[in-house]
Amino acid sequence: MESVSVIISSLMQNVWRVGLDTLSEILGSLHFNGSFYFATSFHSPWSVEVPNYKNVARFHYVSQGACWVRIKGVAAPLLLSSGDIIVIPHGAEHILSDAPDRAPISLDAAFSQTEYSGTGVFRIGEGDDSHGTKLVCGHFEFSETFKHPLITHLPDHIVKKEGDGIDFSWMKDTLKLLSHTATKQYDGSAAIIKRLSEVIFIQMVRYWSAEINADKGFIAALNDQYLSNGLRAFHSNFADSWTVDRLARESSMSRSLFAEKFKRYLEVSPMQYVTNWRMQVARQMLTESTLSLDNIAIKVGYESAPAFSKAFKRLFDCTPGEYRKIVT
């Protein structure tokens, strides 16, 4: 395997290259926790049921062998081979197994039976590790306070196959580094895994967005050559003075056509979207900074703290000051 320093250098160059667009800005504001939960060495027969969780996206990367995935609500089981990765954005219950119809045991029961403590490699069955199924599994826990059409409209699963072309090649190095780090568990592993997990999720969403041809949702809006200009202009300077007329001009559309298309794609009005995004940013500032309410109001596009407070309370049923006391 390439050296860790070479892989991280390549990774960061690619993150920088893809990180300056609207999609990356939205994803970068998720403030999720990349919570790793196991690296495996499974030997047949095996089947594990992973429970449903709210506000969680999961991933499973196959570093060796093969794995069947059965997702609740998805009719057909999916076969992953070495080098493949699946992301399950909405935390749906699913089964990982060595056969498409093998009855599972719960993940907690599997941990208990194998006396897995949460560190090192999670093992099921007996056998030479060179012949088992090796997975790197993790999840991203979103804040319950983060609401955005992008997350709402993500599919039930996103899969990238090992042979999916040159655009996927740089992420293979990231996945190899993740697998190596998860297995070795050296000092700093948790922090590295968290960062790599975030990058993997963001890039998987980007791959998915480039491949779909949807007529509804945030990705569809970004793929509209006119509407995307307005979204890009807004997100690059969301605290500026924005009106429907200005957003329409940025999108090279009439006001009425812009408003109609925006609502059809995103299911909210343009100014509702503006307010919602500003309030998302404001909540992060209230939680993560010591800025005064006056400063936060200005930074998210309001001329005064009272105007900001009124908009905040209308959306969240409490004032910014009350919210800050609750979360800090």
Side-chain angles (χ1 to χ4, degrees):
M1 194 181 85
E2 293 181 70
S3 71
V4 170
S5 61
V6 170
I7 293 174
I8 289 179
S9 175
S10 172
L11 167 65
M12 294 313 296
Q13 288 172 9
N14 279 280
V15 170
W16 176 250
R17 184 162 61 247
V18 303
L20 299 180
D21 61 14
T22 307
L23 178 59
S24 293
E25 182 177 350
I26 302 296
L27 289 167
S29 297
L30 283 173
H31 286 243
F32 42 39
N33 295 314
S35 302
F36 171 77
Y37 52 90
F38 54 78
T40 81
S41 181
F42 290 163
H43 299 270
S44 296
W46 62 272
S47 184
V48 177
E49 183 177 70
V50 182
N52 172 68
Y53 282 109
K54 289 177 60 179
N55 306 308
V56 164
R58 292 193 174 90
F59 75 87
H60 303 289
Y61 168 61
V62 184
S63 59
Q64 178 181 292
C67 172
W68 286 93
V69 185
R70 288 170 278 171
I71 304 170
K72 188 173 183 178
V74 177
L78 306 167
L79 177 60
L80 302 183
S81 301
S82 181
D84 298 348
I85 182 171
I86 185 170
V87 170
I88 302 173
H90 304 294
E93 175 185 316
H94 58 282
I95 297 169
L96 307 173
S97 59
D98 65 333
D101 55 357
R102 193 177 301 285
I105 63 173
S106 72
L107 183 60
D108 285 343
F111 285 158
S112 177
Q113 289 179 15
T114 60
E115 298 182 344
Y116 179 64
S117 65
T119 59
V121 177
F122 174 31
R123 301 179 185 277
I124 294 179
E126 301 290 337
D128 186 340
D129 280 355
S130 64
H131 298 294
T133 295
K134 294 184 178 181
L135 307 174
V136 178
C137 307
H139 73 247
F140 319 95
E141 185 174 349
F142 302 111
S143 168
E144 289 190 36
T145 64
F146 188 89
K147 307 293 182 185
H148 192 274
L150 170 63
I151 302 303
T152 304
H153 289 105
L154 287 178
D156 47 39
H157 66 281
I158 304 170
V159 173
K160 289 299 289 185
K161 307 293 283 185
E162 199 277 336
D164 275 353
I166 192 168
D167 287 343
F168 188 50
S169 61
W170 78 266
M171 202 167 101
K172 293 175 188 175
D173 288 336
T174 309
L175 292 166
K176 289 176 184 176
L177 177 58
L178 181 71
S179 178
H180 173 79
T181 306
T183 303
K184 298 300 181 182
Q185 294 286 313
Y186 47 75
D187 288 347
S189 290
I192 293 172
I193 288 168
K194 181 179 185 296
R195 298 295 181 268
L196 294 179
S197 297
E198 292 173 358
V199 170
I200 287 166
F201 179 77
I202 289 171
Q203 194 63 6
M204 287 291 284
V205 172
R206 289 179 56 84
Y207 285 136
W208 168 76
S209 71
E211 293 172 354
I212 68 167
N213 186 26
D215 58 2
K216 186 177 181 181
F218 188 74
I219 297 300
L222 286 184
N223 288 339
D224 183 291
Q225 69 177 108
Y226 299 110
L227 200 58
S228 61
N229 291 332
L231 284 166
R232 187 178 301 113
F234 167 70
H235 277 283
S236 67
N237 190 10
F238 65 86
D240 206 355
S241 178
W242 289 99
T243 63
V244 178
D245 285 333
R246 182 180 173 188
L247 288 166
R249 287 196 302 272
E250 293 285 355
S251 302
S252 302
M253 300 166 68
S254 70
R255 187 185 193 280
S256 59
L257 179 59
F258 169 81
E260 185 274 325
K261 288 187 74 173
F262 196 100
K263 184 71 177 285
R264 172 159 49 88
Y265 279 128
L266 299 178
E267 301 178 333
V268 295
S269 72
M271 295 315 295
Q272 282 176 311
Y273 183 89
V274 167
T275 299
N276 289 348
W277 181 251
R278 287 172 169 173
M279 294 301 104
Q280 294 289 351
V281 176
R283 284 206 292 193
Q284 290 180 356
M285 289 183 179
L286 288 165
T287 302
E288 300 167 8
S289 78
T290 58
L291 291 172
S292 69
L293 297 187
D294 286 323
N295 284 337
I296 292 176
I298 292 169
K299 285 183 177 292
V300 298
Y302 290 85
E303 294 181 356
S304 68
F308 164 57
S309 183
K310 183 178 179 180
F312 192 95
K313 186 170 184 177
R314 186 164 55 244
L315 203 59
F316 302 126
D317 294 324
C318 66
T319 67
E322 291 168 343
Y323 179 80
R324 175 171 265 172
K325 288 179 182 178
I326 293 170
V327 299
T328 57

